[in-house]
Amino acid sequence: MIWNEIVCLGDSLTYGARDRYGRSFPAELGKLLSEKTKEFYVCHNYGINGETSSDLLRRSWGILKSNKGSAKICLLLIGTNDTKIPIPLDVYEDNLRQIILSIKANGMIPIIGTLPALTFSPYYAKNRDWVLKYNKVIKNLSSKWDLQICSMDGMEEHLIDGVHFIHEGYNEMAKRWSEKILSLK
């Protein structure tokens, strides 16, 4: 049997918070890629609810090192919780820079997800415009370093609480990630 491993780093949007079946985009992505390629895919879910990019930076090296050699792709989706503070743009950019360099140093191809738009949520009400600012940082880094980006634009219809997705939203995320992965040359 042929199998493939993918590391998925992020916050509650990677973890799969609020999915009515307790699933996540990594779980759906493994299923979808297996169906499309007839190979077995394991998508390791390293999403933690409430994490910021600074939190992920602290723990990412150990995760990446432990998957070195087995995983060839790392999906990164982080920044929603940064908007609550908000973390300054230069700090967010440096956090991403260090995580991306760690991904590459451990022999994986990084694919960065843009942050989905937020609708109303008491915790994020004042700082929703920071999603656009952080997405600009992601796009600038992508241009600068020739990185792959997976767009999460236009997913508001799948939000359950203004931040997290219903099951169908995580399926849509998996679909978008799979298309990006399968487009790699």
Side-chain angles (χ1 to χ4, degrees):
M1 177 192 305
I2 297 173
W3 74 88
N4 302 280
E5 294 183 49
I6 297 173
V7 171
C8 302
L9 296 176
D11 53 27
S12 57
L13 297 179
T14 300
Y15 178 81
R18 309 288 190 278
D19 185 303
R20 68 182 170 274
Y21 304 119
R23 304 271 293 179
S24 62
F25 88 72
E28 301 304 333
L29 178 60
K31 177 184 171 210
L32 189 57
L33 287 172
S34 293
E35 289 170 354
K36 286 184 175 190
T37 65
K38 307 299 183 220
E39 297 176 3
F40 180 61
Y41 274 82
V42 176
C43 296
H44 301 288
N45 187 337
Y46 293 105
I48 294 184
N49 294 335
E51 268 205 336
T52 65
S53 61
S54 297
D55 298 323
L56 182 57
L57 175 60
R58 282 191 286 279
R59 71 181 179 94
S60 60
W61 181 262
I63 292 165
L64 296 164
K65 186 79 169 159
S66 70
N67 287 281
K68 185 176 185 172
S70 57
K72 303 294 182 226
I73 295 172
C74 179
L75 308 180
L76 176 61
L77 180 61
I78 192 74
T80 301
N81 294 308
D82 295 45
T83 67
K84 287 196 296 190
I85 297 171
I87 289 181
L89 294 176
D90 62 321
V91 174
Y92 179 69
E93 180 175 4
D94 191 59
N95 288 342
L96 286 184
R97 182 188 65 79
Q98 290 188 54
I99 295 167
I100 291 165
L101 289 175
S102 295
I103 292 167
K104 289 182 166 198
N106 282 284
M108 296 175 214
I109 298 167
I111 303 175
I112 318 306
T114 60
L115 303 179
L118 303 172
T119 58
F120 180 77
S121 171
Y123 297 112
Y124 300 88
K126 294 180 183 175
N127 299 324
R128 288 184 295 174
D129 61 323
W130 280 83
V131 167
L132 297 173
K133 294 174 185 180
Y134 291 151
N135 280 340
K136 187 173 181 180
V137 168
I138 291 167
K139 290 171 185 171
N140 287 341
L141 280 174
S142 173
S143 294
K144 185 176 178 181
W145 291 354
D146 194 29
L147 300 171
Q148 296 290 322
I149 288 183
C150 184
S151 174
M152 297 298 161
D153 291 344
M155 294 194 47
E156 296 83 357
E157 71 181 277
H158 299 295
L159 290 170
I160 192 167
D161 60 3
V163 179
H164 303 98
F165 294 105
I166 58 175
H167 182 71
E168 292 76 13
Y170 291 115
N171 277 327
E172 176 62 25
M173 289 177 80
K175 178 180 169 245
R176 292 177 185 204
W177 287 115
S178 73
E179 289 170 356
K180 183 55 72 172
I181 290 165
L182 294 174
S183 75
L184 297 175
K185 296 177 182 180

